[in-house]
Amino acid sequence: MSEQQVYEPRIVAFLCKWCSSAGSDLAGVSRIQYPPNATPITVPCTGAISPMYIMSAFNKGADGVLVSGCHIGDCHYIEGNFLARRKMKLIMELIEFIGVEPNRFRMSWVSAAEGAKFAQVITDFVDDLKPLGPQDKLKKAELT
Amino acid sequence: MINIQDIRDTARDMLAKGEVRAVIGYRRGSRGMLAEPAFITDPEQANELVWDPTCFHNLSLYLVHDRKFLAHIRKNPNAPVAIVAKGCDARSIVVLLQEHYFKREDVYIIGVSCEGTGVVDERKLAPHLNGFQASNAAFDGDDFVFTTAEGEKRLPAREVMADRCLECRIPFPKEHNAVFGEDKTGRQLEAPFAALTRFEAQEAGARWDFWSHHFDRCIRCFACRSVCPMCYCDECVVDSITFPVTHETTAEEKANRIRWIERSATRSENITYLMTRAMHLAGRCTDCSECERACPVNIPLRLLNNKMEREAREQFGFEPGASIGGQSLVASFLDKDPGDFIR
């Protein structure tokens, strides 16, 4: 990276197929401007996200990981986001425990109607990630 | 005080009557004072059983091995296996039962209470023995008595006990068929999670320095996984080689196979491995500390597992190994689970 280039954090966003993914589509078709830093990965449900996916994303060079799903009570599979809430809380605590900045992981509830909220979540996340700089703690050495 | 003869008699009677197929217990090992796991099928061998401060192994691991062996030879157990279990071991068995790994009637739990003490930590003991090797260890009230070439050495148990025993909340096997020793639950030698709390008081930078140092040192020998009764999966996510490879598997297929965690012992892979392991043990680890003891490079794995245990306890009110009928941590939820971290 040359010195003139501004650091742009890379975000891996795990989006629930039923809510957040549709929410990001809505943000797109509504022409809402938000940073292009997030790479969306659509998953069937936030409950299907293994904490290992998050570790793996960091391992493969993500500067931040976002998990976004349906609001509590709105899960297509009734209880998937309740289960996700527990697992994500645990992995968040664990990441913080080993001394990685807690701001690198974020979870949000974005419904299919909340395009503006999705844009806001990404914007906030990018703003929070920029001062942290590149994530090199959990990243594979050969990728640096 | 536990009279070892009681345990031996129980084991001998049950084996003689054919009530159990085998007794898994401890016997005198070949290396110094250390006990070793004993697998007894002959009633006459029951006299080999011992109970002393070096019985730190979590024997429930061998119930898992037994279950795997029976599945391999396609046999159903014809009688239960008896197992000598401390408080933490009995909780491990409860977690295995909770996960329906085997049936309650397939195991006969001979509970032993750790009473006022626990098991010894070799690393803590070493400086006390003036370079000598202990040949024997025994409980005596709140003390441990070690026999060395210098003679008998009496040490307060608190000084040489394993951290997990100092912090143990329930040094008594609640789930048991027979039990020896007094229930001294609530003895509280040290506050629960004391070592964890001390560690967490540090800054994030210091925590990272500590962990990156330890993660660098992991040699990926998988001793922690091998010694853990909870790591019973037939295919571990770390072993990409265990996915079936036939003569028809093309090189491209092999190359494109997802390898979540590489086997190379580099820091990033070690972190992913050890963190994934900690997550997989969340709500299942009963703090028997065998992983930390087995680790050849002394990575403080107990801190990671303790962290998960405390979060489960404080955030979700979850206690691993509390009851057989209970639900597992990550397969259940409560409406009041914390959600304020979610935007």
Side-chain angles (χ1 to χ4, degrees):
Chain A
M1 195 188 287
S2 69
E3 280 180 36
Q4 287 81 16
Q5 273 184 316
V6 191
Y7 160 69
E8 287 293 340
R10 278 188 292 181
I11 299 170
V12 173
F14 291 99
L15 308 179
C16 150
K17 172 187 171 185
W18 302 97
C19 295
S20 296
S21 193
S24 74
D25 278 351
L26 182 62
V29 296
S30 312
R31 305 286 174 111
I32 301 171
Q33 292 293 316
Y34 65 95
N37 303 44
T39 306
I41 298 178
T42 306
V43 291
C45 178
T46 44
I49 299 172
S50 161
M52 190 172 64
Y53 296 0
I54 290 151
M55 292 314 297
S56 191
F58 282 127
N59 184 307
K60 288 168 180 64
D63 296 311
V65 175
L66 172 75
V67 169
S68 188
C70 311
H71 287 273
I72 287 294
D74 290 352
C75 182
H76 186 77
Y77 308 99
I78 315 298
E79 57 186 32
N81 50 7
F82 282 102
L83 297 170
R85 186 168 64 173
R86 266 201 179 182
K87 281 191 275 189
M88 296 307 134
K89 176 76 182 166
L90 288 172
I91 189 73
M92 200 178 82
E93 293 289 347
L94 201 56
I95 289 172
E96 192 179 348
F97 179 66
I98 63 163
V100 176
E101 301 87 351
N103 260 347
R104 293 204 183 272
F105 176 75
R106 187 156 296 178
M107 190 172 184
S108 64
W109 300 141
V110 173
S111 84
E114 293 176 326
K117 183 178 175 188
F118 183 80
Q120 193 58 47
V121 165
I122 299 285
T123 313
D124 289 350
F125 199 10
V126 172
D127 287 348
D128 287 352
L129 281 174
K130 276 191 175 159
L132 297 179
Q135 184 272 120
D136 47 12
K137 288 180 176 167
L138 308 176
K139 194 173 173 179
K140 267 193 219 298
E142 53 270 29
L143 293 178
T144 47
Chain B
M1 267 309 262
I2 294 174
N3 184 0
I4 180 62
Q5 204 55 45
D6 295 341
I7 301 178
R8 289 173 181 165
D9 290 345
T10 311
R12 188 188 305 104
D13 285 355
M14 284 199 305
L15 282 169
K17 286 182 198 157
E19 286 172 4
V20 293
R21 281 184 283 140
V23 176
I24 306 175
Y26 304 93
R27 70 169 171 223
R28 176 77 31 242
S30 50
R31 193 187 133 219
M33 62 172 180
L34 300 186
E36 67 178 17
F39 310 97
I40 292 171
T41 47
D42 178 2
E44 293 311 309
Q45 289 177 309
N47 273 335
E48 290 178 12
L49 289 174
V50 298
W51 170 243
D52 66 32
T54 63
C55 297
F56 35 56
H57 317 78
N58 185 346
L59 298 177
S60 57
L61 171 69
Y62 301 106
L63 290 176
V64 172
H65 286 191
D66 178 57
R67 154 81 165 64
K68 282 190 174 170
F69 176 71
L70 287 178
H72 180 69
I73 60 168
R74 297 176 186 218
K75 265 197 172 172
N76 283 325
N78 51 5
V81 170
I83 180 167
V84 177
K86 306 183 289 291
C88 42
D89 309 347
R91 287 196 293 280
S92 296
I93 298 171
V94 168
V95 174
L96 290 168
L97 291 168
Q98 186 186 355
E99 294 171 354
H100 305 288
Y101 198 68
F102 41 75
K103 297 195 186 87
R104 181 65 185 90
E105 57 265 29
D106 290 342
V107 54
Y108 185 97
I109 303 173
I110 304 174
V112 283
S113 170
C114 293
E115 298 188 320
T117 55
V119 296
V120 72
D121 183 339
E122 276 187 282
R123 279 174 283 176
K124 283 190 187 175
L125 175 65
H128 289 282
L129 297 181
N130 306 330
F132 287 97
Q133 285 275 333
S135 59
N136 192 44
F139 292 110
D140 190 5
D142 286 340
D143 297 339
F144 290 157
V145 182
F146 299 96
T147 315
T148 66
E150 276 188 317
E152 281 201 348
K153 177 118 187 154
R154 174 179 290 268
L155 289 168
R158 294 187 62 151
E159 284 178 25
V160 291
M161 251 160 74
D163 279 348
R164 71 166 197 274
C165 298
L166 288 169
E167 298 170 16
C168 182
R169 292 190 301 274
I170 314 160
F172 183 79
K174 278 188 182 161
E175 182 71 27
H176 58 256
N177 296 81
V179 70
F180 300 99
E182 276 177 68
D183 183 356
K184 294 247 177 91
T185 304
R187 58 175 188 172
Q188 286 301 327
L189 299 178
E190 202 169 337
F193 308 114
L196 176 66
T197 313
R198 277 197 298 274
F199 176 75
E200 278 205 308
Q202 300 176 67
E203 296 282 310
R207 289 206 301 273
W208 172 249
D209 290 345
F210 175 87
W211 280 116
S212 55
H213 165 70
H214 284 298
F215 288 146
D216 270 339
R217 288 164 53 252
C218 176
I219 56 172
R220 295 295 277 282
C221 65
F222 298 117
C224 45
R225 187 181 71 178
S226 301
V227 82
C228 182
M230 298 306 152
C231 272
Y232 56 63
C233 295
D234 289 329
E235 283 191 4
C236 183
V237 71
V238 188
D239 294 334
S240 46
I241 53 159
T242 59
F243 290 112
V245 173
T246 65
H247 62 281
E248 285 176 332
T249 311
T250 62
E252 196 188 352
E253 275 178 325
K254 284 185 215 166
N256 288 337
R257 197 157 272 169
I258 299 174
R259 267 178 242 115
W260 291 107
I261 305 163
E262 303 275 351
R263 288 166 73 85
S264 54
T266 54
R267 184 200 286 177
S268 62
E269 303 309 310
N270 294 345
I271 292 177
T272 319
Y273 164 60
L274 292 169
M275 298 275 277
T276 303
R277 206 182 103 81
M279 279 304 302
H280 287 185
L281 290 178
R284 307 170 67 226
C285 174
T286 57
D287 198 13
C288 72
S289 294
E290 281 287 275
C291 44
E292 187 171 309
R293 189 183 65 80
C295 183
V297 292
N298 295 335
I299 297 174
L301 294 165
R302 183 169 170 263
L303 281 178
L304 284 175
N305 295 331
N306 249 204
K307 171 70 181 168
M308 288 290 93
E309 190 183 343
R310 191 172 74 180
E311 290 308 323
R313 189 179 157 83
E314 288 180 357
Q315 312 276 0
F316 311 120
F318 186 90
E319 194 84 49
S323 76
I324 295 175
Q327 280 184 304
S328 70
L329 176 71
V330 290
S332 63
F333 61 87
L334 296 171
D335 284 344
K336 61 177 168 59
D337 282 349
D340 46 352
F341 66 99
I342 300 167
R343 306 271 171 132

